Amino acid sequence: MATRCQFENSNDVGVFAKLTNAYCIVALGGAENFYSVFESELADHIPVIKTSVSGTRLVGRVTVGNKNGLLLPNSCSDQELMHIRNSLPDEVVVQRIDERLSALGNCIACNDYVALIHPDVDKETEEIVADVLGVEVFRQTVAGNVLVGSYCTFTNQGGLVHPKTSIEDLDELSSLLQIPLVAGTVNRGSDVIGAGLVANDWTAFCGLDTTSTELSVIEGVLKLRDANASNVVKDMRASLIDAMTS
């Protein structure tokens, strides 16, 4: 199921949170109900860690990670690094990375198997991403945008990309990632998908402004609906069609 929430009146939950299948990182200093939304969904399964990174609250935009590892920018302090390391499961590798494009979350998008990276990222960084996160790496753009992390969000089940992505691009990305992709929006028409949506294989969080249509597209492509719910939708569609044809 996808849940709507806000971080201090901001709908950009993907800026203030990073969600994977093994852990969730949330910015320090937000209103308590932002944490409680995450904790109520996740606490039984994975740790929810409150921290800052490089002294900022923009944890979702400056970090990139999956169930295998977490990459932090070089400006991340030793104290923050230790706090994150101690809070994460032992099997998750945490590493600082010396990359000029330091907003890693904007420049890299990944799931547990594949990563898309900004075309100008260093070769060394590309190798670290492949090594630490245990993924295949592709240099790619999304709808002509080099900031792949900002304009798409994908899990091992499926993904949402920039609404102006062409059919050809969509097919190419889909075959690279080996998952279904849909072009769409969050937060009532925002094309910055990475900032408005965080997701893992069983849940997702998006901004409070996200419409019910956007929410159903997100739940559909990320396969977050339980079978029961999709049957209800099928029944509703069938009865609508009956009503229109009779």
Side-chain angles (χ1 to χ4, degrees):
M1 209 187 84
T3 310
R4 296 186 183 105
C5 57
Q6 256 187 336
F7 183 92
E8 293 186 354
N9 287 340
S10 168
N11 287 301
D12 295 330
V13 293
V15 171
F16 302 104
K18 170 66 68 190
L19 175 60
T20 73
N21 288 328
Y23 55 87
C24 176
I25 294 177
V26 186
L28 268 178
E32 196 52 46
N33 67 345
F34 182 70
Y35 302 126
S36 59
V37 169
F38 279 82
E39 280 174 348
S40 65
E41 286 288 324
L42 302 171
D44 294 343
H45 311 284
I46 55 175
V48 180
I49 301 143
K50 300 178 193 176
T51 185
S52 61
V53 176
S54 310
T56 75
R57 300 198 293 182
L58 315 176
V59 296
R61 297 299 85 205
V62 295
T63 63
V64 63
N66 62 13
K67 68 167 192 201
N68 304 317
L70 175 68
L71 296 175
L72 302 166
N74 207 30
S75 48
C76 174
S77 72
D78 294 345
Q79 201 177 356
E80 290 166 340
L81 181 67
M82 288 312 296
H83 169 56
I84 292 169
R85 245 191 207 141
N86 294 337
S87 312
L88 287 181
D90 292 343
E91 59 275 14
V92 178
V93 182
V94 184
Q95 191 169 330
R96 264 191 299 217
I97 195 167
D98 192 10
E99 166 60 50
R100 183 176 55 87
L101 302 164
S102 61
L104 302 172
N106 287 338
C107 301
I108 303 168
C110 71
N111 62 14
D112 294 337
Y113 305 103
V114 192
L116 303 179
I117 65 170
H118 188 298
D120 300 338
V121 160
D122 293 346
K123 186 81 183 99
E124 199 181 320
T125 302
E126 184 184 336
E127 286 165 7
I128 294 171
V129 169
D131 191 34
V132 172
L133 303 184
V135 290
E136 260 190 287
V137 180
F138 300 102
R139 290 178 186 265
Q140 204 64 37
T141 60
V142 174
N145 294 293
V146 287
L147 293 174
V148 287
S150 301
Y151 292 104
C152 69
T153 293
F154 57 90
T155 65
N156 302 327
Q157 309 287 334
L160 193 69
V161 297
H162 190 290
K164 289 199 166 67
T165 310
S166 66
I167 302 288
E168 294 78 25
D169 277 5
L170 213 54
D171 285 347
E172 186 188 346
L173 288 170
S174 195
S175 64
L176 278 181
L177 301 170
Q178 295 289 300
I179 52 172
L181 293 176
V182 167
T185 57
V186 289
N187 291 332
R188 207 180 293 271
S190 163
D191 54 12
V192 192
I193 310 292
L197 171 70
V198 292
N200 66 13
D201 287 355
W202 71 88
T203 188
F205 300 89
C206 52
L208 213 54
D209 281 353
T210 303
T211 64
S212 55
T213 312
E214 288 169 339
L215 212 56
S216 79
V217 168
I218 289 164
E219 287 181 345
V221 75
L222 299 180
K223 300 187 172 63
L224 300 173
R225 290 201 192 101
D226 54 9
N228 203 17
S230 20
N231 290 338
V232 171
V233 173
K234 275 190 194 128
D235 293 347
M236 279 165 62
R237 281 205 188 116
S239 60
L240 270 172
I241 290 163
D242 288 346
M244 286 164 78
T245 50
S246 57

